[in-house]
Amino acid sequence: MLTIPAAAGASVDPGSALHAYARARLADGNGALGSAVANYRAALALDPGSAEIARRSYAQALESGDQALAMRSAVLLDAQGMLPRDGALLRISDALVRKDWVGARLLLDRIVEEGNFAFLAPIVRSWISLGEGHYAAPVIEGKEQFATLAQRYLDEHMALQAIGRDDLAAALPAIRRAIGLRVSDGAMLRLGFARQLAARGAKAEALALLPADDANFALARADIARGKGSKGRKALLTPAQGFARLLTRLAADIASDDAGLVLAVRLARIATFADPHDPEAHIVAARLLTAAGYPAFAAAEAANVSARGWYAGLAQAELVGAMAGTGDRDGAITLARTLVAEPGADPERHVRLGRLLADARDFAGAAAAFKAAQAGYPQDSVPWTLLLFEGSALEQGKRWDEARVVLERAARIAPHEPVILNYLGYAQIERRQNVEQALLLLKRASALKPQDASITDSLGWAQFVTGDVRAAVPVLERAAAGAPDDPTINEHLGDALWTAGRRYEARYAWNAAAVYAEGDVAARLAAKSEEGLKPEYAAP
């Protein structure tokens, strides 16, 4: 077992479990996931009964994709009653891969008893029954806890199982419902269903799922049209593969905040263990790993998807984000340009390129990319978000007259979207143009989203610019309370406080702004703190 040396000054054997564990903890604290996992692996090998090492190595092994270490840690923790709740899902995936149906059912019963993932049980039980050879369709009782959540995933699995039984009459309506429920990852869902249908020889039905003139589906349509993959029994899903699909969808759905993202990464990794050849699991894992700050691991996941397969475009899209996350912005832009150059490139590809170019301060290129993204929509139904992206790039590229036209169009399309009202109003306030109308836009934006510190700041600054200092100060104080680390908000507050005669507090606000300010802004704040507010030092 892992022990601590008796004397504080005692030396630690460099080959000991404690030394490896210490190195792992240090690497863990520095965000060096690969080094942390290697040292946890070494520590657990040297002290295979240590629950403390297993507890930490379990989480890091899942995040890094080290299946062997994750399973070794999970088994040890389970024996000591310390297995995290998602550990049961890991053990179920292992049982399904080994076709241990009895073991999988026992683990599933435990999940139901614990409650955390109980809503998955009807679907998983159905896949187990398929493996056992006496299929039972998943049944979700309306009165069960979390029944509504389980229903979100039911149709996809009903459809996949029906396809496996050659029951297209049941499969096709379920496919349509499943696609209709997915706001994101619709392309993956369509490709997955098309692959299963094509494997059963349902060529027309498979092609009907894949819109023509869309780069994401071009290769799949070509393969299906010439009969490639038809009657390919190998393509039909096993229980382990069905389980992988379920966890992949769940992972994508829960990654909405930091806490959800941590669990989402683990679930996506478990999905890749359950079905190492599933491109969808690798694509979602790549996306989540980039979001979690592990872009190198994300790139490795994206690389697990064949560059010549149906999912290549979707995987390369995630690779773009991973490359940018590793600091290879030029490489990411080059790959993004390649993707938008393909015939039928969808708006999402253009948006991805536009964001990269905007980050690189190529605002002209970004505006062109956002404009190109709009070409995929009828003129009267362009999403307001694309107009906001284009208008923002034009404004930052010092093409304000063009930007204003685009932003005003966005505001007409979505008159109740506070982010548009804020951007259009604040941009005019910055330029001291149309200030009264801009102030009205910002009042509307603030009323729609009163807790947004950025919008509150815009309103307060507009009031200050229009001469209403008395009203501006409390509004800007509220904005600074909501975002105490924002240099722009604190500078605005400082200028307003100085003008209101509260000189000491003004300098305090400017000093707070200076902590995070850079370049010209930092120099301006230093001058104000030293000399006070002068016209040449006023915030823009």
Side-chain angles (χ1 to χ4, degrees):
M1 298 297 289
L2 185 66
T3 57
I4 303 298
S11 62
V12 178
D13 180 0
S16 69
L18 179 59
H19 193 266
Y21 180 71
R23 289 198 307 268
R25 292 294 305 274
L26 181 62
D28 197 355
N30 290 332
L33 180 59
S35 177
V37 170
N39 282 289
Y40 281 131
R41 189 187 306 117
L44 195 59
L46 290 166
D47 191 355
S50 171
E52 175 62 19
I53 296 175
R55 183 176 67 84
R56 292 189 176 276
S57 64
Y58 169 80
Q60 301 295 329
L62 277 184
E63 290 177 355
S64 69
D66 189 328
Q67 182 177 1
L69 180 60
M71 279 301 303
R72 192 181 313 129
S73 302
V75 170
L76 175 58
L77 292 172
D78 205 5
Q80 300 192 29
M82 298 172 61
L83 185 67
R85 296 296 173 89
D86 53 31
L89 297 177
L90 173 63
R91 301 207 65 185
I92 286 175
S93 76
D94 176 65
L96 292 176
V97 168
R98 292 186 290 103
K99 299 182 180 180
D100 176 7
W101 313 126
V102 173
R105 283 192 179 277
L106 289 174
L107 287 162
L108 193 59
D109 289 343
R110 192 167 98 188
I111 281 178
V112 172
E113 183 179 343
E114 291 173 347
N116 285 48
F117 299 101
F119 65 95
L120 301 176
I123 297 173
V124 181
R125 282 200 185 99
S126 182
W127 281 110
I128 293 173
S129 74
L130 196 66
E132 292 170 327
H134 49 79
Y135 173 69
V139 177
I140 297 174
E141 298 293 342
K143 294 182 180 179
E144 287 183 4
Q145 190 178 21
F146 304 121
T148 302
L149 182 57
Q151 290 285 350
R152 176 174 175 78
Y153 305 101
L154 179 63
D155 285 316
E156 178 178 0
H157 294 269
M158 292 287 287
L160 292 170
Q161 293 169 358
I163 294 171
R165 301 193 315 275
D166 285 325
D167 186 357
L168 294 188
L172 295 177
I175 288 172
R176 288 191 290 270
R177 291 193 300 269
I179 291 174
L181 281 173
R182 297 302 302 182
V183 176
S184 61
D185 291 332
M188 283 200 297
L189 200 59
R190 288 176 179 274
L191 286 169
F193 282 135
R195 183 166 179 261
Q196 299 303 310
L197 289 168
R200 285 299 194 184
K203 178 177 176 179
E205 291 82 357
L207 287 172
L209 293 178
L210 307 176
D213 302 320
D214 187 319
N216 289 322
F217 306 125
L219 179 58
R221 288 185 62 86
D223 283 350
I224 294 169
R226 64 173 184 264
K228 185 176 180 180
S230 179
K231 296 293 181 181
R233 301 285 306 182
K234 190 176 179 181
L236 301 177
L237 297 187
T238 66
Q241 291 171 322
F243 185 65
R245 289 285 186 93
L246 182 59
L247 293 191
T248 297
R249 300 286 178 256
L250 180 59
D253 285 346
I254 66 174
S256 57
D257 54 37
D258 289 343
L261 182 58
V262 171
L263 177 58
V265 168
R266 293 185 183 188
L267 296 183
R269 284 298 201 186
I270 295 172
T272 65
F273 299 161
D275 187 3
H277 303 294
D278 179 18
E280 298 189 30
H282 290 298
I283 289 168
V284 170
R287 181 191 312 152
L288 298 178
L289 286 163
T290 297
Y294 302 120
F297 286 91
E301 283 301 304
N304 281 322
V305 179
S306 171
R308 296 185 295 275
W310 288 12
Y311 293 82
L314 299 176
Q316 288 177 327
E318 300 305 335
L319 181 57
V320 168
M323 292 172 70
T326 62
D328 185 9
R329 188 168 61 190
D330 291 342
I333 289 174
T334 298
L335 179 54
R337 288 191 189 279
T338 300
L339 293 176
V340 301
E342 292 181 3
D346 63 354
E348 187 175 343
R349 296 188 182 195
H350 292 283
V351 169
R352 187 175 294 107
L353 174 61
R355 286 178 168 170
L356 286 169
L357 293 173
D359 288 343
R361 304 191 68 77
D362 178 2
F363 297 118
F370 294 135
K371 183 70 173 178
Q374 299 167 33
Y377 298 90
Q379 182 68 16
D380 59 349
S381 59
V382 174
W384 63 265
T385 49
L386 295 183
L387 294 170
L388 177 61
F389 290 156
E390 182 193 3
S392 172
L394 290 168
E395 186 265 337
Q396 293 178 83
K398 303 188 185 307
R399 294 160 62 183
W400 168 241
D401 290 341
E402 297 171 72
R404 181 173 174 177
V405 171
V406 174
L407 293 169
E408 286 177 340
R409 181 184 172 198
R412 287 194 298 272
I413 291 173
H416 302 298
E417 286 293 341
V419 65
I420 298 175
L421 302 176
N422 179 63
Y423 201 107
L424 180 58
Y426 187 75
Q428 292 179 92
I429 288 294
E430 276 192 314
R431 292 164 176 79
R432 308 303 190 261
Q433 294 178 358
N434 196 27
V435 291
E436 294 298 332
Q437 185 62 33
L439 179 59
L440 291 176
L441 291 174
L442 294 170
K443 285 181 177 179
R444 285 169 54 198
S446 184
L448 289 164
K449 203 170 184 181
Q451 302 306 315
D452 189 300
S454 178
I455 293 176
T456 303
D457 168 68
S458 297
L459 174 59
W461 189 241
Q463 291 169 323
F464 175 76
V465 167
T466 55
D468 193 354
V469 178
R470 183 187 297 271
V473 169
V475 174
L476 290 169
E477 286 177 326
R478 191 167 73 248
D485 298 336
D486 190 297
T488 299
I489 293 176
N490 279 297
E491 183 179 16
H492 287 168
L493 175 59
D495 286 14
L497 288 169
W498 183 276
T499 305
R502 295 161 62 178
R503 305 294 172 86
Y504 176 81
E505 294 170 273
R507 284 194 166 91
Y508 184 87
W510 289 330
N511 289 336
V515 173
Y516 297 98
E518 298 176 351
D520 293 343
V521 177
R524 185 173 67 235
L525 287 164
K528 280 195 275 200
S529 293
E530 179 69 24
E531 305 173 34
L533 181 60
K534 296 181 179 180
E536 61 268 30
Y537 299 152

